[in-house]
Amino acid sequence: DDDLPDLLIVDGGRGQLGVARRALDDLGLADDLALAGLAKGRLRGVGDARTRTAERLFVPGSKDPIPLPEGAPETLLVAHLRDEAHRFAISYHRTVRGSHRSALDRIDGIGPERRRRLLRTFGSLTGVREASLDDLYAVPGLPKAVARRVYASLREGREGRQGGQGRQAETAKNAKVTPRRQDRTGNRTANRNRNRNG
């Protein structure tokens, strides 16, 4: 309980406040935290007569919101908290969205059109990552060499977590290498299939 804040401010009005209240009830924290919802002022009127109402603070159990005086320190404080939460959420979202895009963009032969086609076909970067090589071969307009690069590239990050088996199998397939075996000295070797004359 010492780590809990004294006040939890939710970005939004009565609806968001109700959802937050139910979440706190579900967690058994409703009696441990003060809760409020901060709603931006609204535009009222028409044309040149439009004015903005004050920011409003909604609190549980009160029918009407509390208007916050414009320019007052308490208004500036809660507005700054809200704006900072927005800034953090937007920058996080952009970072996540950018990292998803860049995973495909780093692959030679993938431009905006092929990236869109892959994402539309498989639904997400995770879907592309989970696609089999045959699934990638079936994507219209995606050359087989590019499909192999997509397949190998998107597995590189996962294989460290999964022991590297995916890339070894794919490398063996592409290089026409049979699985490793031990030679007479006990060392592991790969048997290369080569066409030899004579």
Side-chain angles (χ1 to χ4, degrees):
D1 284 342
D2 293 339
D3 294 337
L4 293 175
D6 295 326
L7 172 65
L8 179 62
I9 299 178
V10 178
D11 180 24
R14 196 179 322 280
Q16 288 84 353
L17 185 65
V19 171
R21 182 70 183 186
R22 286 190 295 277
L24 289 177
D25 284 340
D26 290 348
L27 294 170
L29 297 173
D31 296 330
D32 298 330
L33 290 170
L35 183 61
L38 178 64
K40 280 188 171 183
R42 297 181 182 177
L43 287 174
R44 302 240 170 159
V46 179
D48 291 340
R50 293 181 88 175
T51 59
R52 181 172 291 280
T53 63
E55 304 243 3
R56 296 160 296 142
L57 200 62
F58 289 83
V59 292
S62 176
K63 181 181 175 193
D64 297 320
I66 302 165
L68 297 173
E70 189 174 338
E74 60 272 16
T75 304
L76 297 175
L77 174 66
V78 292
H80 179 71
L81 291 174
R82 181 203 47 232
D83 295 344
E84 187 62 19
H86 283 179
R87 185 199 63 74
F88 178 81
I90 289 168
S91 63
Y92 174 76
H93 179 68
R94 284 180 181 155
T95 300
V96 169
R97 207 174 58 203
S99 68
H100 285 196
R101 251 191 249 124
S102 66
L104 289 172
D105 290 338
R106 288 190 301 260
I107 301 170
D108 188 36
I110 296 293
E113 182 56 38
R114 286 182 179 157
R115 181 185 65 231
R116 276 192 295 274
R117 189 171 293 151
L118 284 166
L119 292 174
R120 273 193 221 119
T121 301
F122 299 106
S124 67
L125 180 64
T126 301
V128 177
R129 187 174 278 131
E130 292 173 353
S132 71
L133 195 52
D134 288 334
D135 293 336
L136 291 169
Y137 285 159
V139 175
L142 190 68
K144 288 189 175 189
V146 175
R148 284 191 294 273
R149 282 196 294 271
V150 169
Y151 184 85
S153 178
L154 293 181
R155 278 161 179 70
E156 281 180 12
R158 286 187 351 173
E159 76 177 18
R161 297 185 298 269
Q162 297 177 351
Q165 299 301 320
R167 188 169 64 182
Q168 287 177 357
E170 184 61 22
T171 301
K173 180 179 176 182
N174 288 342
K176 295 186 169 75
V177 175
T178 58
R180 295 183 182 266
R181 61 186 172 91
Q182 290 187 351
D183 65 12
R184 287 182 219 152
T185 63
N187 294 327
R188 291 176 61 128
T189 62
N191 180 24
R192 294 214 178 259
N193 296 326
R194 294 185 180 150
N195 291 332
R196 295 185 182 184
N197 294 331

